[in-house]
Amino acid sequence: MDFRDRVISPISRFAIRDYTNLASGQLSRDDLEIRVDFGDLVRKLVLSEQLVIESHGLHEFPLLVRRFGYDGVLEMLSSGVVAVRCELTGIGSFGDDLPLGRHRVGTFHVDHATIVNRGLALQAEIPGLNSRQEKRLKQVLSERITPPLTDEGVPMLTKLNADIDTGSPVVKLAVMRIGRRRDESLLPSDFSLEIYRVRTPSAPDDPLSKYQVVEARTDLGKRLGMNEHEVHNLVSSALHALGDLNKRFELMERFEGVTGFRFGELPLFEQKLAFLARQLDPDVAEERFSRVVEIADLPDVASSIDARDVNLARLIEIVQSDEARVFRVWLRGIDSVSDADIRDAIGKLRETLRAAVQSKRGKAVRVGVSAGLSLIPGAGPIVGPAASAVDALVIDNLVSKPGPTAFVSHLYPSIFNGAV
């Protein structure tokens, strides 16, 4: 499998349900709600051989069952196309006991079994599932959860240390990106920055002993009119952003795949490896796919959780086809292809399909099979749907051209309920 065909990405985010406590900074979990981007899931399934979902404690799956139905979600999980990642690891910083300008930085990790057990318990609350379905869903879901690594987060911190120790320009760029929230015109040449690790004594039993101390000296406050506390928080946010970026590298190394980048991360990545970022980032593939959907005037996934427009089982079936694989390869090379050329290629195939169905051979096959169906006792009510199925059979046999246009014109539209 091409490593670009394995995508590691979240499909959901937490949104603020109640803004009452936002001003005081006392937000709790009850003030947040999980929101799944259903269209994003469909696009990622189309564009990958395997999707590793970065889950928020398995909160997505009750919403997926509500959106796509129990059978659709079960088919998706059983197919092996989807894996689920439940680790909760990141860069943490503690420094209330340190002078401003110093940051105690390390990794945090939440017990994997605790996250999984709580997440599986959520599936019992899905409306409409009987006990057998609930048990089956939990079983299949648990089988798709990737095992945790004992060194989870270590590479992330190692890369951050290397950035600091080598004076990598990506550190200053990260500070600049956060500083642009205050002044959009800020450039790296507009301020000075020295950042280095500091050795500090600590007792062996001190729980913070594994956290290193980083000191930053900068004139950014003078440049942006910020006080020492504001500058301290800005640098802390930049260190977290760098940690998150390095986490994406860790995931790519672990799963031998590619990950999406959060807002503001891509310029940092480009500082390290600009061209490779464009080739690896699956979000870019989604942009290309959205372009093709618009050009070809294809149906898109509704955002409502109560919509019933996508047959998830059919989607899982087609994303494993040769046509889908050829389509994904083709999609990576369309940046230099004009909209007119893409539209022309898709249009030509559609005309070929119409001609195939309307040809003498196509009509003969359809009439012959339909007549055969009419001889089957009780087959009357199913002749209409069967004839539609024969249309697809004729197309598949007469237009044996696996490729991007076949996928766009025939397979992809077939995932939408009611689409022919």
Short mmCIF file of all heavy atoms in Angstrom, two decimals, residues 66-120:
data_model
loop_
_atom_site.label_atom_id
_atom_site.label_comp_id
_atom_site.label_asym_id
_atom_site.label_seq_id
_atom_site.Cartn_x
_atom_site.Cartn_y
_atom_site.Cartn_z
N ARG A 66 -26.42 7.21 14.27
CA ARG A 66 -27.62 8.01 14.02
C ARG A 66 -27.65 8.51 12.57
O ARG A 66 -28.70 8.56 11.94
CB ARG A 66 -27.65 9.20 14.98
CG ARG A 66 -28.81 10.15 14.76
CD ARG A 66 -28.81 11.26 15.80
NE ARG A 66 -29.74 12.32 15.44
CZ ARG A 66 -29.88 13.47 16.13
NH1 ARG A 66 -29.15 13.65 17.23
NH2 ARG A 66 -30.73 14.39 15.74
N ARG A 67 -26.47 8.86 12.05
CA ARG A 67 -26.39 9.45 10.70
C ARG A 67 -26.47 8.40 9.60
O ARG A 67 -27.19 8.56 8.60
CB ARG A 67 -25.08 10.24 10.59
CG ARG A 67 -24.83 10.88 9.21
CD ARG A 67 -25.90 11.92 8.92
NE ARG A 67 -25.52 12.79 7.83
CZ ARG A 67 -25.61 12.52 6.55
NH1 ARG A 67 -26.08 11.33 6.18
NH2 ARG A 67 -25.26 13.40 5.62
N PHE A 68 -25.71 7.30 9.74
CA PHE A 68 -25.59 6.32 8.67
C PHE A 68 -26.29 5.00 8.96
O PHE A 68 -26.32 4.12 8.10
CB PHE A 68 -24.11 6.04 8.38
CG PHE A 68 -23.35 7.25 7.91
CD1 PHE A 68 -22.38 7.83 8.70
CD2 PHE A 68 -23.62 7.81 6.67
CE1 PHE A 68 -21.67 8.95 8.27
CE2 PHE A 68 -22.91 8.92 6.22
CZ PHE A 68 -21.94 9.49 7.02
N GLY A 69 -26.82 4.84 10.17
CA GLY A 69 -27.50 3.61 10.52
C GLY A 69 -26.55 2.58 11.10
O GLY A 69 -25.35 2.57 10.83
N TYR A 70 -27.10 1.68 11.90
CA TYR A 70 -26.31 0.63 12.55
C TYR A 70 -25.61 -0.25 11.51
O TYR A 70 -24.41 -0.53 11.62
CB TYR A 70 -27.23 -0.22 13.43
CG TYR A 70 -26.64 -1.54 13.88
CD1 TYR A 70 -25.72 -1.58 14.93
CD2 TYR A 70 -26.98 -2.73 13.24
CE1 TYR A 70 -25.17 -2.80 15.34
CE2 TYR A 70 -26.44 -3.95 13.65
CZ TYR A 70 -25.54 -3.97 14.70
OH TYR A 70 -24.98 -5.16 15.09
N ASP A 71 -26.35 -0.68 10.47
CA ASP A 71 -25.77 -1.59 9.47
C ASP A 71 -24.61 -0.93 8.73
O ASP A 71 -23.58 -1.57 8.46
CB ASP A 71 -26.84 -2.03 8.47
CG ASP A 71 -27.88 -2.95 9.11
OD1 ASP A 71 -27.53 -3.64 10.09
OD2 ASP A 71 -29.03 -2.97 8.63
N GLY A 72 -24.76 0.36 8.40
CA GLY A 72 -23.71 1.05 7.68
C GLY A 72 -22.43 1.17 8.50
O GLY A 72 -21.32 0.93 8.00
N VAL A 73 -22.55 1.55 9.77
CA VAL A 73 -21.38 1.70 10.64
C VAL A 73 -20.73 0.35 10.89
O VAL A 73 -19.50 0.22 10.90
CB VAL A 73 -21.77 2.38 11.96
CG1 VAL A 73 -20.60 2.39 12.95
CG2 VAL A 73 -22.25 3.81 11.71
N LEU A 74 -21.57 -0.68 11.08
CA LEU A 74 -21.02 -2.02 11.31
C LEU A 74 -20.24 -2.50 10.08
O LEU A 74 -19.16 -3.09 10.21
CB LEU A 74 -22.15 -3.01 11.63
CG LEU A 74 -21.71 -4.34 12.24
CD1 LEU A 74 -21.15 -4.14 13.63
CD2 LEU A 74 -22.87 -5.32 12.28
N GLU A 75 -20.77 -2.24 8.90
CA GLU A 75 -20.08 -2.62 7.66
C GLU A 75 -18.75 -1.88 7.54
O GLU A 75 -17.73 -2.46 7.14
CB GLU A 75 -20.97 -2.32 6.46
CG GLU A 75 -20.34 -2.65 5.11
CD GLU A 75 -20.06 -4.13 4.91
OE1 GLU A 75 -20.76 -4.95 5.54
OE2 GLU A 75 -19.14 -4.46 4.14
N MET A 76 -18.75 -0.60 7.87
CA MET A 76 -17.53 0.19 7.80
C MET A 76 -16.45 -0.37 8.72
O MET A 76 -15.29 -0.53 8.33
CB MET A 76 -17.83 1.65 8.18
CG MET A 76 -16.61 2.57 8.17
SD MET A 76 -16.97 4.26 8.71
CE MET A 76 -17.19 4.00 10.49
N LEU A 77 -16.83 -0.70 9.95
CA LEU A 77 -15.87 -1.23 10.92
C LEU A 77 -15.43 -2.64 10.57
O LEU A 77 -14.25 -3.00 10.73
CB LEU A 77 -16.47 -1.19 12.32
CG LEU A 77 -16.72 0.20 12.93
CD1 LEU A 77 -17.51 0.08 14.23
CD2 LEU A 77 -15.40 0.92 13.18
N SER A 78 -16.35 -3.46 10.08
CA SER A 78 -16.03 -4.86 9.78
C SER A 78 -15.15 -5.00 8.55
O SER A 78 -14.46 -6.01 8.39
CB SER A 78 -17.32 -5.67 9.58
OG SER A 78 -18.15 -5.61 10.72
N SER A 79 -15.18 -4.00 7.69
CA SER A 79 -14.47 -4.10 6.41
C SER A 79 -12.96 -4.07 6.56
O SER A 79 -12.23 -4.53 5.67
CB SER A 79 -14.89 -2.94 5.50
OG SER A 79 -14.41 -1.70 6.02
N GLY A 80 -12.46 -3.52 7.65
CA GLY A 80 -11.02 -3.35 7.80
C GLY A 80 -10.50 -2.07 7.18
O GLY A 80 -9.31 -1.77 7.28
N VAL A 81 -11.37 -1.31 6.54
CA VAL A 81 -10.96 -0.05 5.92
C VAL A 81 -10.65 1.00 6.98
O VAL A 81 -9.81 1.87 6.78
CB VAL A 81 -12.07 0.47 4.97
CG1 VAL A 81 -11.77 1.87 4.48
CG2 VAL A 81 -12.22 -0.48 3.79
N VAL A 82 -11.32 0.89 8.14
CA VAL A 82 -11.19 1.90 9.19
C VAL A 82 -10.56 1.30 10.44
O VAL A 82 -10.91 0.19 10.86
CB VAL A 82 -12.58 2.49 9.54
CG1 VAL A 82 -12.52 3.30 10.83
CG2 VAL A 82 -13.08 3.36 8.39
N ALA A 83 -9.61 2.03 11.01
CA ALA A 83 -9.07 1.72 12.34
C ALA A 83 -9.35 2.94 13.22
O ALA A 83 -9.65 4.03 12.72
CB ALA A 83 -7.58 1.41 12.28
N VAL A 84 -9.26 2.76 14.52
CA VAL A 84 -9.60 3.83 15.46
C VAL A 84 -8.46 4.02 16.45
O VAL A 84 -8.00 3.05 17.07
CB VAL A 84 -10.92 3.52 16.21
CG1 VAL A 84 -11.28 4.68 17.13
CG2 VAL A 84 -12.04 3.24 15.23
N ARG A 85 -8.04 5.24 16.61
CA ARG A 85 -6.97 5.58 17.54
C ARG A 85 -7.56 6.35 18.71
O ARG A 85 -8.25 7.35 18.53
CB ARG A 85 -5.90 6.42 16.84
CG ARG A 85 -4.76 6.84 17.74
CD ARG A 85 -3.74 7.68 16.98
NE ARG A 85 -2.64 8.05 17.85
CZ ARG A 85 -2.61 9.12 18.63
NH1 ARG A 85 -3.66 9.95 18.64
NH2 ARG A 85 -1.58 9.37 19.41
N CYS A 86 -7.29 5.88 19.94
CA CYS A 86 -7.91 6.49 21.12
C CYS A 86 -6.90 7.11 22.09
O CYS A 86 -7.29 7.51 23.18
CB CYS A 86 -8.74 5.44 21.89
SG CYS A 86 -10.34 5.14 21.15
N GLU A 87 -5.63 7.18 21.72
CA GLU A 87 -4.65 7.75 22.64
C GLU A 87 -4.92 9.23 22.89
O GLU A 87 -5.39 9.95 22.00
CB GLU A 87 -3.23 7.60 22.09
CG GLU A 87 -2.69 6.20 22.16
CD GLU A 87 -2.97 5.40 20.91
OE1 GLU A 87 -3.94 5.71 20.20
OE2 GLU A 87 -2.22 4.45 20.67
N LEU A 88 -4.63 9.67 24.08
CA LEU A 88 -4.72 11.09 24.43
C LEU A 88 -3.37 11.50 25.00
O LEU A 88 -3.08 11.31 26.18
CB LEU A 88 -5.84 11.34 25.44
CG LEU A 88 -6.06 12.81 25.84
CD1 LEU A 88 -6.29 13.67 24.60
CD2 LEU A 88 -7.24 12.93 26.79
N THR A 89 -2.51 12.01 24.13
CA THR A 89 -1.15 12.38 24.48
C THR A 89 -0.85 13.74 23.86
O THR A 89 -1.30 14.04 22.76
CB THR A 89 -0.14 11.35 23.96
OG1 THR A 89 -0.46 10.07 24.49
CG2 THR A 89 1.28 11.70 24.36
N GLY A 90 -0.09 14.54 24.56
CA GLY A 90 0.27 15.84 24.01
C GLY A 90 1.34 16.52 24.83
O GLY A 90 1.88 15.95 25.78
N ILE A 91 1.66 17.75 24.46
CA ILE A 91 2.63 18.55 25.19
C ILE A 91 1.89 19.31 26.29
O ILE A 91 0.88 19.97 26.04
CB ILE A 91 3.34 19.55 24.25
CG1 ILE A 91 4.25 18.81 23.29
CG2 ILE A 91 4.13 20.57 25.05
CD1 ILE A 91 5.47 18.20 23.94
N GLY A 92 2.39 19.19 27.51
CA GLY A 92 1.84 19.93 28.64
C GLY A 92 2.90 20.87 29.20
O GLY A 92 4.10 20.63 29.06
N SER A 93 2.47 21.96 29.80
CA SER A 93 3.41 22.90 30.40
C SER A 93 2.89 23.35 31.76
O SER A 93 1.70 23.63 31.91
CB SER A 93 3.65 24.10 29.49
OG SER A 93 2.46 24.80 29.23
N PHE A 94 3.78 23.37 32.72
CA PHE A 94 3.46 23.81 34.07
C PHE A 94 4.57 24.76 34.50
O PHE A 94 5.75 24.45 34.36
CB PHE A 94 3.40 22.62 35.04
CG PHE A 94 2.42 21.56 34.63
CD1 PHE A 94 2.81 20.53 33.80
CD2 PHE A 94 1.11 21.60 35.06
CE1 PHE A 94 1.93 19.55 33.40
CE2 PHE A 94 0.21 20.63 34.67
CZ PHE A 94 0.62 19.60 33.84
N GLY A 95 4.21 25.91 35.01
CA GLY A 95 5.27 26.83 35.37
C GLY A 95 4.88 27.90 36.37
O GLY A 95 5.49 28.96 36.41
N ASP A 96 3.84 27.65 37.18
CA ASP A 96 3.42 28.66 38.14
C ASP A 96 4.51 28.98 39.16
O ASP A 96 4.51 30.07 39.74
CB ASP A 96 2.15 28.20 38.87
CG ASP A 96 0.94 28.16 37.94
OD1 ASP A 96 1.03 28.77 36.85
OD2 ASP A 96 -0.06 27.53 38.29
N ASP A 97 5.42 28.02 39.38
CA ASP A 97 6.48 28.23 40.36
C ASP A 97 7.73 28.81 39.73
O ASP A 97 8.73 29.03 40.42
CB ASP A 97 6.83 26.90 41.04
CG ASP A 97 7.32 25.85 40.05
OD1 ASP A 97 6.79 25.86 38.92
OD2 ASP A 97 8.20 25.06 40.40
N LEU A 98 7.69 29.07 38.43
CA LEU A 98 8.86 29.58 37.71
C LEU A 98 8.69 31.06 37.38
O LEU A 98 7.56 31.55 37.25
CB LEU A 98 9.06 28.79 36.41
CG LEU A 98 9.31 27.29 36.53
CD1 LEU A 98 9.37 26.66 35.14
CD2 LEU A 98 10.60 27.01 37.29
N PRO A 99 9.79 31.77 37.24
CA PRO A 99 9.70 33.18 36.82
C PRO A 99 9.18 33.28 35.39
O PRO A 99 9.31 32.34 34.59
CB PRO A 99 11.14 33.68 36.94
CG PRO A 99 11.99 32.47 36.84
CD PRO A 99 11.20 31.36 37.46
N LEU A 100 8.58 34.42 35.05
CA LEU A 100 8.10 34.62 33.69
C LEU A 100 9.25 34.47 32.70
O LEU A 100 10.36 34.94 32.94
CB LEU A 100 7.47 36.01 33.55
CG LEU A 100 6.15 36.23 34.29
CD1 LEU A 100 5.69 37.68 34.17
CD2 LEU A 100 5.06 35.29 33.77
N GLY A 101 8.97 33.80 31.60
CA GLY A 101 10.00 33.55 30.62
C GLY A 101 10.51 32.12 30.67
O GLY A 101 11.17 31.66 29.73
N ARG A 102 10.22 31.42 31.76
CA ARG A 102 10.61 30.01 31.88
C ARG A 102 9.36 29.12 31.81
O ARG A 102 8.32 29.44 32.40
CB ARG A 102 11.37 29.76 33.18
CG ARG A 102 12.78 30.32 33.16
CD ARG A 102 13.64 29.75 34.28
NE ARG A 102 15.03 30.14 34.14
CZ ARG A 102 16.04 29.62 34.85
NH1 ARG A 102 15.79 28.68 35.76
NH2 ARG A 102 17.28 30.01 34.66
N HIS A 103 9.51 28.00 31.12
CA HIS A 103 8.38 27.10 30.89
C HIS A 103 8.81 25.67 31.21
O HIS A 103 9.85 25.22 30.72
CB HIS A 103 7.92 27.17 29.43
CG HIS A 103 7.71 28.57 28.92
ND1 HIS A 103 6.47 29.16 28.87
CD2 HIS A 103 8.61 29.49 28.44
CE1 HIS A 103 6.60 30.38 28.38
NE2 HIS A 103 7.88 30.61 28.11
N ARG A 104 8.03 24.99 32.04
CA ARG A 104 8.30 23.59 32.32
C ARG A 104 7.47 22.75 31.34
O ARG A 104 6.24 22.75 31.39
CB ARG A 104 7.96 23.24 33.77
CG ARG A 104 8.30 21.80 34.14
CD ARG A 104 8.01 21.50 35.60
NE ARG A 104 9.02 22.06 36.49
CZ ARG A 104 8.83 23.09 37.31
NH1 ARG A 104 7.65 23.68 37.34
NH2 ARG A 104 9.78 23.52 38.09
N VAL A 105 8.15 22.05 30.44
CA VAL A 105 7.50 21.40 29.31
C VAL A 105 7.73 19.89 29.35
O VAL A 105 8.84 19.43 29.63
CB VAL A 105 8.02 21.97 27.97
CG1 VAL A 105 7.35 21.28 26.79
CG2 VAL A 105 7.78 23.47 27.91
N GLY A 106 6.69 19.14 29.03
CA GLY A 106 6.81 17.67 28.94
C GLY A 106 5.57 17.11 28.28
O GLY A 106 4.74 17.85 27.76
N THR A 107 5.45 15.80 28.28
CA THR A 107 4.28 15.16 27.66
C THR A 107 3.31 14.68 28.74
O THR A 107 3.71 14.34 29.85
CB THR A 107 4.71 13.95 26.81
OG1 THR A 107 5.41 13.01 27.62
CG2 THR A 107 5.59 14.38 25.66
N PHE A 108 2.04 14.69 28.41
CA PHE A 108 1.02 14.11 29.28
C PHE A 108 0.39 12.93 28.55
O PHE A 108 0.37 12.88 27.32
CB PHE A 108 -0.04 15.14 29.67
CG PHE A 108 -0.91 15.58 28.52
CD1 PHE A 108 -2.04 14.85 28.16
CD2 PHE A 108 -0.61 16.73 27.81
CE1 PHE A 108 -2.84 15.25 27.10
CE2 PHE A 108 -1.41 17.14 26.74
CZ PHE A 108 -2.53 16.40 26.40
N HIS A 109 -0.12 12.00 29.29
CA HIS A 109 -0.71 10.80 28.70
C HIS A 109 -1.84 10.31 29.59
O HIS A 109 -1.65 10.15 30.79
CB HIS A 109 0.36 9.70 28.54
CG HIS A 109 -0.16 8.44 27.92
ND1 HIS A 109 -0.53 8.36 26.60
CD2 HIS A 109 -0.39 7.21 28.45
CE1 HIS A 109 -0.96 7.14 26.33
NE2 HIS A 109 -0.89 6.42 27.43
N VAL A 110 -3.01 10.09 28.99
CA VAL A 110 -4.17 9.57 29.72
C VAL A 110 -4.24 8.06 29.47
O VAL A 110 -4.04 7.60 28.34
CB VAL A 110 -5.46 10.25 29.25
CG1 VAL A 110 -6.67 9.66 29.98
CG2 VAL A 110 -5.38 11.75 29.49
N ASP A 111 -4.50 7.30 30.51
CA ASP A 111 -4.53 5.84 30.42
C ASP A 111 -5.44 5.37 29.29
O ASP A 111 -6.63 5.74 29.22
CB ASP A 111 -5.00 5.26 31.76
CG ASP A 111 -5.07 3.73 31.72
OD1 ASP A 111 -4.00 3.11 31.60
OD2 ASP A 111 -6.18 3.19 31.81
N HIS A 112 -4.89 4.54 28.42
CA HIS A 112 -5.61 4.09 27.23
C HIS A 112 -6.83 3.25 27.58
O HIS A 112 -7.92 3.43 27.02
CB HIS A 112 -4.65 3.28 26.35
CG HIS A 112 -5.25 2.82 25.05
ND1 HIS A 112 -5.75 1.55 24.87
CD2 HIS A 112 -5.44 3.46 23.88
CE1 HIS A 112 -6.22 1.44 23.64
NE2 HIS A 112 -6.04 2.56 23.02
N ALA A 113 -6.68 2.33 28.53
CA ALA A 113 -7.80 1.46 28.90
C ALA A 113 -8.97 2.26 29.46
O ALA A 113 -10.14 1.95 29.19
CB ALA A 113 -7.34 0.42 29.93
N THR A 114 -8.67 3.31 30.22
CA THR A 114 -9.72 4.15 30.78
C THR A 114 -10.52 4.83 29.67
O THR A 114 -11.76 4.85 29.70
CB THR A 114 -9.11 5.22 31.70
OG1 THR A 114 -8.41 4.58 32.77
CG2 THR A 114 -10.20 6.13 32.27
N ILE A 115 -9.81 5.36 28.68
CA ILE A 115 -10.48 6.03 27.56
C ILE A 115 -11.37 5.04 26.80
O ILE A 115 -12.53 5.33 26.49
CB ILE A 115 -9.44 6.64 26.60
CG1 ILE A 115 -8.63 7.72 27.30
CG2 ILE A 115 -10.12 7.21 25.35
CD1 ILE A 115 -7.50 8.27 26.47
N VAL A 116 -10.83 3.85 26.50
CA VAL A 116 -11.57 2.86 25.72
C VAL A 116 -12.80 2.38 26.47
O VAL A 116 -13.90 2.29 25.91
CB VAL A 116 -10.65 1.67 25.35
CG1 VAL A 116 -11.47 0.54 24.75
CG2 VAL A 116 -9.57 2.11 24.40
N ASN A 117 -12.66 2.07 27.74
CA ASN A 117 -13.79 1.56 28.53
C ASN A 117 -14.91 2.59 28.63
O ASN A 117 -16.10 2.26 28.51
CB ASN A 117 -13.32 1.15 29.93
CG ASN A 117 -12.44 -0.10 29.90
OD1 ASN A 117 -12.54 -0.90 28.97
ND2 ASN A 117 -11.60 -0.27 30.90
N ARG A 118 -14.54 3.83 28.85
CA ARG A 118 -15.57 4.88 28.92
C ARG A 118 -16.23 5.07 27.56
O ARG A 118 -17.44 5.30 27.47
CB ARG A 118 -14.93 6.19 29.39
CG ARG A 118 -14.54 6.19 30.87
CD ARG A 118 -13.88 7.51 31.25
NE ARG A 118 -13.55 7.55 32.67
CZ ARG A 118 -12.88 8.56 33.26
NH1 ARG A 118 -12.48 9.59 32.53
NH2 ARG A 118 -12.62 8.52 34.54
N GLY A 119 -15.43 5.00 26.50
CA GLY A 119 -15.98 5.17 25.16
C GLY A 119 -16.92 4.05 24.76
O GLY A 119 -17.97 4.30 24.16
N LEU A 120 -16.55 2.82 25.07
CA LEU A 120 -17.42 1.69 24.74
C LEU A 120 -18.73 1.77 25.52
O LEU A 120 -19.79 1.37 25.02
CB LEU A 120 -16.71 0.38 25.03
CG LEU A 120 -15.53 0.03 24.10
CD1 LEU A 120 -14.85 -1.25 24.56
CD2 LEU A 120 -16.01 -0.12 22.65
#
